PDB file of all heavy atoms in Angstrom:
ATOM      1  N   GLN A 355      23.340  -4.201  -2.415  1.00 94.00           N
ATOM      2  CA  GLN A 355      24.217  -3.332  -1.617  1.00 94.00           C
ATOM      3  C   GLN A 355      23.782  -1.877  -1.710  1.00 94.00           C
ATOM      4  O   GLN A 355      23.822  -1.140  -0.717  1.00 94.00           O
ATOM      5  CB  GLN A 355      25.669  -3.503  -2.083  1.00 94.00           C
ATOM      6  CG  GLN A 355      26.286  -4.842  -1.753  1.00 94.00           C
ATOM      7  CD  GLN A 355      26.239  -5.164  -0.256  1.00 94.00           C
ATOM      8  OE1 GLN A 355      26.573  -4.329   0.584  1.00 94.00           O
ATOM      9  NE2 GLN A 355      25.797  -6.365   0.069  1.00 94.00           N
ATOM     10  N   GLN A 356      23.356  -1.455  -2.922  1.00 91.00           N
ATOM     11  CA  GLN A 356      22.865  -0.082  -3.076  1.00 91.00           C
ATOM     12  C   GLN A 356      21.640   0.154  -2.212  1.00 91.00           C
ATOM     13  O   GLN A 356      21.471   1.231  -1.628  1.00 91.00           O
ATOM     14  CB  GLN A 356      22.539   0.177  -4.540  1.00 91.00           C
ATOM     15  CG  GLN A 356      23.739   0.289  -5.457  1.00 91.00           C
ATOM     16  CD  GLN A 356      23.352   0.461  -6.901  1.00 91.00           C
ATOM     17  OE1 GLN A 356      22.194   0.693  -7.240  1.00 91.00           O
ATOM     18  NE2 GLN A 356      24.323   0.348  -7.802  1.00 91.00           N
ATOM     19  N   ALA A 357      20.768  -0.862  -2.148  1.00 93.00           N
ATOM     20  CA  ALA A 357      19.538  -0.713  -1.369  1.00 93.00           C
ATOM     21  C   ALA A 357      19.826  -0.612   0.135  1.00 93.00           C
ATOM     22  O   ALA A 357      19.069   0.024   0.873  1.00 93.00           O
ATOM     23  CB  ALA A 357      18.613  -1.903  -1.632  1.00 93.00           C
ATOM     24  N   LYS A 358      20.928  -1.205   0.571  1.00 90.00           N
ATOM     25  CA  LYS A 358      21.283  -1.169   1.992  1.00 90.00           C
ATOM     26  C   LYS A 358      22.001   0.118   2.366  1.00 90.00           C
ATOM     27  O   LYS A 358      22.083   0.462   3.556  1.00 90.00           O
ATOM     28  CB  LYS A 358      22.177  -2.371   2.329  1.00 90.00           C
ATOM     29  CG  LYS A 358      21.482  -3.714   2.229  1.00 90.00           C
ATOM     30  CD  LYS A 358      22.466  -4.841   2.520  1.00 90.00           C
ATOM     31  CE  LYS A 358      21.799  -6.204   2.376  1.00 90.00           C
ATOM     32  NZ  LYS A 358      22.756  -7.301   2.597  1.00 90.00           N
ATOM     33  N   ALA A 359      22.560   0.813   1.360  1.00 84.00           N
ATOM     34  CA  ALA A 359      23.354   2.013   1.644  1.00 84.00           C
ATOM     35  C   ALA A 359      22.456   3.129   2.179  1.00 84.00           C
ATOM     36  O   ALA A 359      21.282   3.248   1.770  1.00 84.00           O
ATOM     37  CB  ALA A 359      24.073   2.459   0.386  1.00 84.00           C
ATOM     38  N   PRO A 360      22.967   3.995   3.055  1.00 78.00           N
ATOM     39  CA  PRO A 360      22.183   5.137   3.554  1.00 78.00           C
ATOM     40  C   PRO A 360      21.776   6.032   2.399  1.00 78.00           C
ATOM     41  O   PRO A 360      22.558   6.257   1.456  1.00 78.00           O
ATOM     42  CB  PRO A 360      23.160   5.866   4.489  1.00 78.00           C
ATOM     43  CG  PRO A 360      24.186   4.851   4.832  1.00 78.00           C
ATOM     44  CD  PRO A 360      24.315   3.935   3.655  1.00 78.00           C
ATOM     45  N   GLN A 361      20.551   6.540   2.437  1.00 64.00           N
ATOM     46  CA  GLN A 361      20.051   7.409   1.368  1.00 64.00           C
ATOM     47  C   GLN A 361      20.540   8.832   1.569  1.00 64.00           C
ATOM     48  O   GLN A 361      20.681   9.300   2.674  1.00 64.00           O
ATOM     49  CB  GLN A 361      18.522   7.380   1.333  1.00 64.00           C
ATOM     50  CG  GLN A 361      17.970   5.995   1.050  1.00 64.00           C
ATOM     51  CD  GLN A 361      18.352   5.456  -0.312  1.00 64.00           C
ATOM     52  OE1 GLN A 361      18.216   6.147  -1.328  1.00 64.00           O
ATOM     53  NE2 GLN A 361      18.836   4.224  -0.370  1.00 64.00           N
TER      54      GLN A 361
END
Side-chain angles (χ1 to χ4, degrees):
Q355 291 304 313
Q356 289 177 11
K358 293 177 182 178
Q361 299 297 312

